[in-house]
Each structure stands twice: as structure tokens, then as C-alpha cells.
Amino acid sequence: MLTALLAIVTGLVLLTAGADQLVVGSGRLARRYGVSSIVVGVVIIGIGTSAPEFVVSAIASYRGDAGLAVGNLAGSNIINLTLVLGVAGLIAPVAVRSSVLRREAPLAVAAVVLFAVAAYAGLGRVAGALLAVAAAGALVLVLRNARVQAGDPMPGEVAAFLAAEPPAVRTGREAVRTLLGLGATLGGAQLLTVGGSTVAARLGVAPAVIGLTVVALGTSLPELFTTVQAQRRGDGDLLVGNLLGSNLFNSVAGGALVGLAGRGEPARLGYPVLAAMVAVALLSWLVLYRGYRVTRVEAGLLLVAYAMTLPLIA
């Protein structure tokens, strides 16, 4: 048991550090070669912070731990829009001004609903293939919607997050940073998956419960790290864009990987957890839609919503 716990802790450290370097390195390279800031903010940072969820769930599914794989994705979706966004809103109100995020929010909710349907019916090869098609379609729509109006704050917030202007970026150094980040993410995911499966077996707990709690919290650390950085600078648009993008790609791309990598029975989750995941997505959308702002009261409401999902997981 001690070895398994050590593997989990080591995996969490590698995942957090690796994902951070992967996001920064790939983001700087993208900007260096002319990719627009808005695409970097909505797509590359969103996908980069979701890399731990992708890798952990794909490895778990391939190993036959379907419950852990799908539980990790559902748990991360819940945590991102309750615990992470709630903590950010308690620190300071979160204001959203970017028009891009207003177009992305309903797309993220639709992706969560689609993933919930697939996970309830059984996330096997067919569902995985359908989610892969949905992921490609979502990426196209996100890129088409990546149009900013004059004065949109997102490009400036992305530049501040990456902390390096394109002419100053050294391609070789950032390529090494990206590869090392990817390697650390892969290694950390393997350790976290093996450790989580071992702990579940030793304690007699369903792997899905471990996936929804310990593993989901661990794989959501990159989103939390990015959120804290953005909130310290008052970059509410990047903060919310990161969380929406993460949930969007968790649901369709992560779900596709789970379905296509699985070798056993299709991955499934129970109705209560999936209903809670969809309800959280709708609640956060409603909170943002009211005024594109998360107040401290609303942040407290999101934290209460997270606490209410815990009995469903158990």
C-alpha cells in the first residue's frame, strides 16, 4: 500500500510539473510560428491542461480499468467548474469580457451532455469513434469561432501567461521544454494509474470512485495551477477559457480515447454521477450567462455544488 501511495504522489508531481511545461512550451512555439493568441488560449492551453486527463484515462482504459478511466474524466469535469472555478471566485470576482468564450460555453455544455450519454450507454469502440468525430467537429467550430472584436482582452492575457514575446522565443529550448513536459506527463500518468488501481483493489473500493476523487483531483491540478496564475493577474477570460476548453476536450477527445483504447467491457458510469456532471455544467453556464461574472456568493454556490456531488460518488 505504501508503494502505491508513493506512486500516486510521485505521479501527481510529475503530472502537474509536466503539464505546466507542456502548455508553456507548446504555447510559445505556436505563437513563435504565427498561431494567433486566441487559438493558443482557447485550443492549445485548453488541450494542454487536459493532457493529464487524456493520458491517465487512455492508459487506464487500455489496462482494463474502465471505471477509473471514465470516472477520471467525469470527476475532472465536475471539479473544474465547481471546485476550481469556485476557489478562483472566492479569491476575487471573475469577470468574463471575451466574446469568444460566450460562443464556446454552449459548445462545452453540449460536449459534456454527449459524453454523459455515451458513458451511460457504454463507452466502447463505437461510442469512442462517434466522440472522435465530435472532437474533430468541436475543434473546427472552436477555430471558426476564434474571432475577436476590437478591445477583446484574450490575446493580451495569453501573452502575459506565456510571459515571452514570439521574437524572443528560442525554438530549440521551447521544443525541449515541450518534450520534457510530455515525457513527465506520460510518466506521471502511468504512476498515477497503477497506484490508483492498486489502492482501489487493496481498499475494496470501486475503481470509478478512485477515478472520480483522487485521480480526478490530481489530473485537475494543471487547470488549478493555470487558474491561480490567471487569477493573480486578473485574467478572468483566460481563466474561464481554460476551464471551458478543458471540459470540452475532456468530454469528446478524452471520451474518444477511453472508448478506442478499451480492451474489455465498455466503460460506464451510473446515472446520478452523470446527471450531477451535466447539472454542474448547466449551473456554471447559468452563473456566467447572468452577467459573465462569478461573484463570491456564486463561487460559494459552486463549492456547495461540489460538496453535494460527493455523496453521489460514494
Side-chain angles (χ1 to χ4, degrees):
M1 177 68 78
L2 183 60
T3 303
L5 292 175
L6 181 61
I8 289 175
V9 173
T10 305
L12 291 177
V13 172
L14 286 174
L15 275 175
T16 305
D20 177 55
Q21 296 306 305
L22 177 62
V23 168
V24 173
S26 60
R28 288 179 178 176
L29 286 174
R31 290 289 296 118
R32 175 69 177 81
Y33 289 101
V35 178
S36 71
S37 293
I38 197 68
V39 172
V40 172
V42 175
V43 178
I44 294 179
I45 293 178
I47 292 178
T49 53
S50 291
E53 285 92 337
F54 294 167
V55 179
V56 168
S57 291
I59 290 175
S61 184
Y62 183 75
R63 287 170 48 87
D65 295 323
L68 190 152
V70 73
N72 171 47
L73 294 175
S76 293
N77 282 349
I78 292 172
I79 288 169
N80 284 345
L81 294 180
T82 54
L83 187 61
V84 176
L85 184 57
V87 167
L90 283 182
I91 295 172
V94 179
V96 177
R97 295 169 291 163
S98 176
S99 59
V100 175
L101 300 183
R102 301 178 188 184
R103 296 191 292 267
E104 187 183 357
L107 187 60
V109 173
V112 168
V113 172
L114 183 60
F115 171 69
V117 172
Y120 183 73
L123 191 47
R125 297 290 175 84
V126 174
L130 292 175
L131 286 175
V133 173
L139 183 59
V140 171
L141 287 175
V142 167
L143 292 175
R144 287 186 61 184
N145 288 337
R147 303 184 304 273
V148 295
Q149 300 173 352
D152 194 295
M154 180 67 87
E157 293 182 6
V158 171
F161 176 79
L162 296 177
E165 293 300 321
V169 171
R170 297 180 180 179
T171 302
R173 183 174 64 183
E174 298 307 326
V176 170
R177 184 198 301 271
T178 302
L179 291 175
L180 289 176
L182 178 60
T185 301
L186 291 171
Q190 180 69 18
L191 288 172
L192 184 59
T193 303
V194 173
S197 300
T198 303
V199 168
R202 294 285 180 86
L203 297 179
V205 177
V209 173
I210 297 296
L212 284 159
T213 53
V214 177
V215 177
L217 279 168
T219 55
S220 292
L221 287 177
E223 285 91 344
L224 179 60
F225 184 78
T226 302
T227 295
V228 170
Q229 282 188 298
Q231 185 68 332
R232 287 175 58 189
R233 292 187 300 268
D235 297 340
D237 296 277
L238 179 61
L239 185 160
V240 174
N242 171 48
L243 297 178
L244 291 177
S246 180
N247 276 27
L248 170 60
F249 294 112
N250 276 352
S251 299
V252 288
L257 287 172
V258 169
L260 296 175
R263 297 188 297 174
E265 291 293 318
R268 287 186 172 84
L269 276 181
Y271 173 78
V273 172
L274 295 174
M277 180 181 68
V278 172
V280 161
L282 292 172
L283 174 63
S284 60
W285 186 22
L286 176 63
V287 167
L288 289 169
Y289 185 76
R290 285 184 63 252
Y292 292 99
R293 181 181 179 87
V294 180
T295 66
R296 285 192 170 92
V297 172
E298 292 164 338
L301 178 63
L302 292 176
L303 293 177
V304 170
Y306 175 67
M308 292 176 64
T309 64
L310 296 178
L312 300 177
I313 294 172

